[in-house]
Amino acid sequence: MLKTAQQIRPLSLRVRGSAASSQGKLFSPKAAAAKSGEVVRIAVLGASGYTGAEIVRILANHPQFDIKVMTADRKAGEQFGSVFPHLISQDLPRLVAIKDADFSGVDAVFCCLPHGTTQEIIKGLPRHLKIVDLSADFRLRDINEYAEWYGHSHKAPELQEEAVYGLTELHRDDIRNARLVANPGCYPTSVQLPLVPLVKSKLIKLTNIIIDAKSGVSGAGRGAKEANLYTEIAEGIQSYGITSHRHVPEIEQGLTDAAESKVTISFTPHLMCMKRGMQSTIYVELESGVTASDLYEHLKSTYEGEEFVKLLHGSSAPRTSHVAGSNYCLMNVYEDRIPGRAIIISVIDNLVKGASGQAVQNLNLMMGLPENMGLQYQPLFP
């Protein structure tokens, strides 16, 4: 059951930074009253990775999410502040192994475990828990397609039928009523936010969609890998997953749903020598009589009133440095010099809107809270 903030600790201790100083402006009294005074008790599974650390950082400004359980098998017994000293100021439980975690006092779970390990673990969790899974294990509806791309059979097909895909701005109503949400991948978030509305409105052709995407190294996770050593990636750019990146079927699934017919894309990701950030440069062919300005106006209309998706003005180019540390997606549309084509640029922070920020956005919806609660971090620039 949910507890009031006073039963756990004074609410003021859970409100830090910018949210504390402007809570009255950010949350309307009507919205806050939906769950007034109630604290949602949180478990973070896989808390020693980058997405787990981002969950903790974001929840430092969340007035109603309180972390009660944190797991990290290899770091079990350690204090979280010793694993991530930049978060030592947070009052957090000691890390435990998943097998030792007690979920009896928990209402909701952020699952930040590696792909392929999550299905069986979530299958074993108590049914009363609301779950947002940040791995890829429940993103693909077709379990045969999952097996093809991930190299092993799906271990919880009954849960796959229940899972809701959590691209918040596009699936808000389904997310509100979900128990298990599959948080989207970072590349699919940056690609689908601009493309799905354009595909639905039949403004672009479904053929010859080309996506050139670039990500910071944190997208590869915190595990030690030779390919991600500084000397391997510094002062250069490299393509990877050419023709075979696992986010391809996720993107195609979303675009196919929007088009109501099969969509196939050309997608190549690149690793950039930077810590965080993601840019997708998308090349599309316009339908007859459609202009790049039509694409811009449709996206502007679609996302008017959305807090976290913004269209830039004029010829301003979105930059990853303009979204660092935030839950924003910035985009813009340009007329290509090739007649009948347009270029769309979309940027996000791969660890926030591409992972942990969107996860918090989703759980807010699932718990009946204001969607933006705890997510008012502005981008850090320069």
Side-chain angles (χ1 to χ4, degrees):
M1 61 181 280
L2 300 180
K3 294 186 177 181
T4 64
Q6 289 76 15
Q7 286 175 299
I8 292 183
R9 65 182 67 160
L11 183 60
S12 60
L13 295 181
R14 299 299 303 159
V15 184
R16 302 180 177 91
S18 61
S21 61
S22 56
Q23 185 178 356
K25 180 176 70 174
L26 295 171
F27 309 124
S28 70
K30 182 178 179 181
K35 293 283 183 179
S36 178
E38 291 181 339
V39 164
V40 180
R41 299 165 299 177
I42 300 294
V44 182
L45 309 187
S48 61
Y50 290 138
T51 56
E54 281 293 275
I55 291 287
V56 174
R57 181 182 72 87
I58 291 167
L59 295 194
N61 268 352
H62 199 296
Q64 291 184 233
F65 284 178
D66 186 86
I67 299 174
K68 306 300 291 182
V69 173
M70 306 179 77
T71 78
D73 285 4
R74 287 178 296 177
K75 302 287 186 179
E78 295 188 32
Q79 294 283 359
F80 190 76
S82 67
V83 179
F84 289 107
H86 70 294
L87 295 169
I88 196 171
S89 65
Q90 301 305 298
D91 181 14
L92 297 165
R94 192 177 292 271
L95 295 166
V96 298
I98 289 180
K99 65 180 179 61
D100 298 323
D102 180 4
F103 295 100
S104 62
V106 171
D107 304 302
V109 172
F110 290 109
C111 194
C112 306
L113 297 168
H115 310 321
T117 65
T118 301
Q119 291 156 1
E120 288 187 303
I121 288 172
I122 290 181
K123 184 165 62 173
L125 293 177
R127 288 287 302 178
H128 75 276
L129 296 173
K130 299 271 190 175
I131 303 167
V132 180
D133 177 29
L134 282 78
S135 82
D137 280 9
F138 293 96
R139 293 174 189 162
L140 299 181
R141 290 193 304 271
D142 185 337
I143 61 173
N144 294 319
E145 188 171 39
Y146 174 86
E148 176 186 347
W149 284 86
Y150 286 88
H152 59 85
S153 61
H154 202 290
K155 298 173 183 176
E158 68 284 1
L159 286 182
Q160 184 60 63
E161 295 179 5
E162 177 186 357
V164 168
Y165 187 67
L167 189 50
T168 318
E169 284 77 12
L170 302 181
H171 301 284
R172 192 171 272 124
D173 291 341
D174 292 333
I175 293 165
R176 281 193 182 97
N177 299 314
R179 186 187 76 89
L180 169 60
V181 166
N183 215 57
C186 45
Y187 285 123
T189 294
S190 69
V191 171
Q192 290 181 89
L193 283 173
L195 281 190
V196 165
L198 301 179
V199 168
K200 278 187 175 180
S201 62
K202 297 180 171 55
L203 293 174
I204 61 174
K205 295 185 178 180
L206 303 182
T207 55
N208 299 322
I209 297 175
I210 301 170
I211 302 159
D212 178 344
K214 299 173 176 65
S215 175
V217 184
S218 59
R222 203 182 188 206
K225 304 179 185 74
E226 180 180 292
N228 295 338
L229 293 172
Y230 178 80
T231 48
E232 301 284 334
I233 64 170
E235 300 182 46
I237 176 175
Q238 64 186 70
S239 305
Y240 67 101
I242 304 167
T243 75
S244 61
H245 195 279
R246 290 170 171 177
H247 284 176
V248 168
E250 184 182 342
I251 295 171
E252 292 182 343
Q253 175 180 267
L255 298 184
T256 295
D257 289 348
E260 298 182 340
S261 63
K262 178 63 178 174
V263 177
T264 303
I265 60 168
S266 179
F267 173 82
T268 305
H270 305 78
L271 189 66
M272 302 295 293
C273 187
M274 59 185 187
K275 291 179 289 186
R276 62 166 78 207
M278 174 167 288
Q279 174 173 315
S280 291
T281 304
I282 306 165
Y283 304 87
V284 297
E285 189 172 349
L286 304 172
E287 286 287 4
S288 178
V290 175
T291 67
S293 295
D294 294 330
L295 304 191
Y296 180 91
E297 291 301 324
H298 184 71
L299 288 173
K300 183 179 178 182
S301 174
T302 297
Y303 292 115
E304 186 175 8
E306 288 288 351
E307 181 158 359
F308 298 119
V309 182
K310 301 295 182 184
L311 274 290
L312 298 188
H313 303 297
S315 60
S316 296
R319 294 167 53 180
T320 58
S321 58
H322 291 162
V323 294
S326 78
N327 198 51
Y328 291 100
C329 173
L330 303 183
M331 60 181 76
N332 209 343
V333 182
Y334 305 87
E335 182 180 3
D336 198 338
R337 59 185 294 269
I338 301 173
R341 295 191 67 88
I343 302 169
I344 305 162
I345 298 178
S346 168
V347 298
I348 61 172
D349 185 319
N350 59 292
L351 290 178
V352 190
K353 185 58 174 170
S356 303
Q358 187 155 227
V360 172
Q361 195 178 351
N362 285 330
L363 190 59
N364 280 338
L365 281 173
M366 296 164 74
M367 301 308 300
L369 296 172
E371 189 177 314
N372 64 353
M373 188 176 276
L375 289 168
Q376 287 74 36
Y377 291 96
Q378 294 301 295
L380 183 64
F381 181 85

